[in-house]
Amino acid sequence: MLTSGFGAAAAAVIASTLFAGGAVAQTTVDPIVIKGSKFFYKTNGTQFFMRGVAYQQDYTGGGSMGTGNSSTTQYSDPLADKSACSRDIPYMTRLSTNTIRVYALDPTANHDACMNALAAAGIYVVADLSEPLQSINRDAPEWNEALYTRYTAVVDAMAGYSNTLGFFAGNEVSNAPNNTDASAFVKAAVRDTKAYIKQKNYRTIGVGYATNDDADIRVNMADYFNCGDAASSIDFWGYNIYSWCGDSSFHDSGYDVRTKEFSTYSVPVFFAEYGCNQVQPRPFTEVGALFGSEMTGVWSGGIVYMYFQEANNYGLVSVSGNTVSTLTDFDNLSSQLAKVTPTGVNSASYSPTNSAAACPTGSDWAAKSSPLPPTPNAELCSCMYQTLSCVPAPSVSDTEYGHFFGVVCGTGDGSQCDGIAHNATTGDFGAYGMCSAKEQLGFALNAYYNAQSGSNQASACNFGGSATTQAATSASGSCSSLVAEAGTAGTGVVTSQPTGTGAASGGSSGGASGSAGAASSSAGAFSISAPGSSSGMWQAGSLVVVAMVSGMGMILL
């Protein structure tokens, strides 16, 4: 187990060495792999338990602007700030941290310095794929081109680092029975992100989901994301849970019930956020339970919310410039973590027996289990749009699209909008339901236009000046086959997959070239909020960190 002495000395040396000079050499750790419902170090098979901290300052935006292509992006990428990482990593190691969770990353930024410094300290990263202005909106859910571009860009930026543990495809998107249909779009995002990782020949990196602790939907949520074929289901499940407040107990907190519920779950489960602050300072007595014998057979540890002290009073430290002051919560957490030594199994002697859950059904669950929304395919959408004769006029702004859809789809029998349908409750998904709003509107306008004849057609592409004709281009080559799969009505199933639209990474991890500047999706569902190993070896008892930095050689933590 790492000690405070390590955190204050060795980690600081590692960080300062990594940040010195120009180019940053790559630092590697033993990747974390998944087998059954547990995490393991890949090389020696020691079970991995997360001792994590949420790490992102001012993540709700307002004052900090990202460095990405969108001028309205409101978040600050914590892994692109090497001075902050250098400042904070020694304090993380004092808590024996082996995992951090970050909620929004700029895929065009360089993350080498921070990721290498974290790796040198034996710290892994779980990264959310969305950001405040590009996330799946629970009130009007979509899985579209822009989001696919965003998600794959983050994968490209992070896949090359050996301490990238996994990705979250969503965080608390469905949070009540009346918006569970949104989960279908998140599950489609899980499916397509997993497929993209495989397509790009990256090492296997898990994709999961982080849920809130809502009594009305928590069982159905867990079952839905776990059910069905492995290619579409989550690789791990994160639980944002704040039911243990003050000096509670395994029983009074409901931890006993939650542990029983997940005892048969087929993938790893962990607390994606925990640390109720109804009692302050927080005593963190739940740590003993989470890493004790009653829970370690089911749970893989957890991530404390959070590192920075902000208005919500969940911080472990107070930061002012380059100065870090530890709070009582920090000391209490450190004390509790020092008392526990979770015991796990070795992967070689572990034979998983749990199987995937049955998909939920009934009136209290709105998302149909199959089919899921189609995979976003920018090439298909572009090919389709070029074949249209009637399209939105240039004068129509994005903010007017919502009303325009209502007018167009409410005209005639409405069949012109079948090709852009995305109804997760009925399972009706048009081939173009994942295209941009402009492309979807163009398809609907053109379908209505083509359904008219004679003098009616001449005036059908007008809509008070909101629509206009263009010179259509016949689909050819790959475009021809794509559009043919979609069909004239747009209701066919397109089996051709996109080749990837991720943005180029600013770091050494590489990735596909391109731009992440696609139109953003509504962010109404972007929610990052706290609620109103064997032999006692934790992260590093058997972890070898290979630091390819002059003078460091191989460090055994």
Side-chain angles (χ1 to χ4, degrees):
M1 185 164 114
L2 294 177
T3 66
S4 296
F6 173 84
V13 172
I14 292 172
S16 63
T17 302
L18 284 170
F19 293 132
V24 180
Q26 187 171 8
T27 306
T28 61
V29 294
D30 195 8
I32 303 303
V33 298
I34 295 171
K35 181 178 181 181
S37 60
K38 304 182 188 301
F39 292 110
F40 298 96
Y41 291 104
K42 181 179 181 180
T43 301
N44 60 28
T46 302
Q47 188 174 347
F48 179 86
F49 294 95
M50 290 186 186
R51 292 187 318 288
V53 177
Y55 183 70
Q56 186 136 14
Q57 194 168 22
D58 298 325
Y59 52 75
T60 54
S64 301
M65 304 300 290
T67 57
N69 296 324
S70 173
S71 61
T72 58
T73 300
Q74 297 182 354
Y75 65 92
S76 179
D77 183 344
L79 301 185
D81 188 344
K82 63 182 181 181
S83 62
C85 291
S86 179
R87 176 197 66 201
D88 296 330
I89 287 174
Y91 292 91
M92 295 179 189
T93 60
R94 284 173 59 182
L95 292 171
S96 298
T97 301
N98 66 4
T99 307
I100 62 171
R101 177 182 178 183
V102 294
Y103 295 94
L105 296 177
D106 175 4
T108 67
N110 190 305
H111 302 101
D112 286 352
C114 282
M115 289 300 291
N116 286 338
L118 289 165
I123 299 174
Y124 296 80
V125 175
V126 179
D128 288 52
L129 294 167
S130 60
E131 56 103 331
L133 296 180
Q134 289 185 299
S135 58
I136 296 172
N137 184 343
R138 67 171 69 96
D139 298 320
E142 291 184 86
W143 173 233
N144 55 33
E145 292 177 50
L147 292 176
Y148 182 83
T149 297
R150 161 73 196 182
Y151 279 38
T152 55
V154 174
V155 170
D156 285 339
M158 299 298 290
Y161 302 114
S162 59
N163 56 327
T164 297
L165 191 154
F167 302 106
F168 280 130
N171 181 76
E172 299 187 6
V173 178
S174 294
N175 66 353
N178 65 355
N179 57 40
T180 54
D181 62 313
S183 289
F185 299 90
V186 183
K187 192 167 182 178
V190 171
R191 174 201 63 202
D192 293 340
T193 304
K194 291 173 64 169
Y196 182 78
I197 291 170
K198 184 176 181 179
Q199 174 196 346
K200 297 291 289 186
N201 290 319
Y202 293 140
R203 66 177 175 84
T204 301
I205 306 173
V207 181
Y209 178 77
T211 186
N212 67 324
D213 184 28
D214 189 290
D216 293 329
I217 63 173
R218 58 189 171 206
V219 174
N220 279 340
M221 285 285 294
D223 289 348
Y224 179 76
F225 279 92
N226 183 235
C227 76
D229 64 284
S232 301
S233 60
I234 44 101
D235 296 315
F236 53 77
W237 187 247
Y239 205 178
N240 298 341
I241 182 169
Y242 293 85
S243 61
W244 186 305
C245 301
D247 291 319
S248 188
S249 69
F250 183 60
H251 172 74
D252 293 344
S253 65
Y255 277 21
D256 58 340
V257 181
R258 304 289 82 77
T259 299
K260 183 177 180 180
E261 287 171 351
F262 284 100
S263 63
T264 59
Y265 214 59
S266 66
V267 299
V269 293
F270 59 92
F271 289 178
E273 291 176 5
Y274 76 96
C276 171
N277 71 348
Q278 289 182 14
V279 176
Q280 296 186 39
R282 294 179 285 179
F284 285 109
T285 50
E286 67 265 48
V287 168
L290 180 58
F291 294 102
S293 59
E294 291 180 303
M295 296 185 69
T296 51
V298 174
W299 301 92
S300 294
I303 299 171
V304 171
Y305 187 87
M306 67 168 309
Y307 182 78
F308 297 99
Q309 174 71 323
E310 295 181 334
N312 57 13
N313 290 319
Y314 277 90
L316 300 174
V317 304
S318 176
V319 175
S320 178
N322 291 323
T323 301
V324 177
S325 301
T326 60
L327 303 176
T328 304
D329 280 11
F330 181 100
D331 297 331
N332 290 347
L333 178 60
S334 178
S335 176
Q336 293 293 340
L337 287 168
K339 298 176 184 178
V340 295
T341 52
T343 301
V345 299
N346 191 279
S347 61
S349 58
Y350 168 60
S351 299
T353 58
N354 294 348
S355 56
C359 293
T361 58
S363 58
D364 57 347
W365 184 257
K368 192 173 181 179
S369 60
S370 181
L372 293 174
T375 301
N377 191 323
E379 183 182 5
L380 168 63
C381 297
S382 177
C383 290
M384 175 271 291
Y385 199 80
Q386 294 172 27
T387 68
L388 305 181
S389 297
C390 181
V391 297
S395 59
V396 180
S397 67
D398 293 355
T399 57
E400 297 175 287
Y401 282 165
H403 172 71
F404 204 177
F405 272 116
V407 172
V408 176
C409 295
T411 303
D413 63 4
S415 62
Q416 63 270 19
C417 290
D418 290 347
I420 61 173
H422 43 275
N423 189 321
T425 301
T426 63
D428 293 323
F429 299 105
Y432 301 116
M434 49 71 200
C435 297
S436 70
K438 179 181 179 180
E439 291 162 337
Q440 290 187 51
L441 185 55
F443 177 83
L445 283 169
N446 194 72
Y448 176 76
Y449 175 72
N450 287 337
Q452 312 306 310
S453 60
S455 60
N456 288 333
Q457 187 178 48
S459 60
C461 188
N462 186 280
F463 285 90
S466 295
T468 186
T469 57
Q470 71 171 11
T473 302
S474 298
S476 60
S478 61
C479 275
S480 179
S481 59
L482 284 170
V483 173
E485 284 186 70
T488 302
T491 54
V493 176
V494 178
T495 58
S496 303
Q497 298 297 302
T499 56
T501 55
S505 164
S508 64
S509 59
S513 61
S515 171
S520 66
S521 175
S522 175
F526 186 84
S527 175
I528 309 172
S529 58
S533 89
S534 60
S535 304
M537 293 182 176
W538 283 41
Q539 79 183 38
S542 58
L543 170 61
V544 175
V545 178
V546 183
M548 302 303 292
V549 179
S550 177
M552 293 184 67
M554 180 177 289
I555 300 175
L556 178 64
L557 301 182

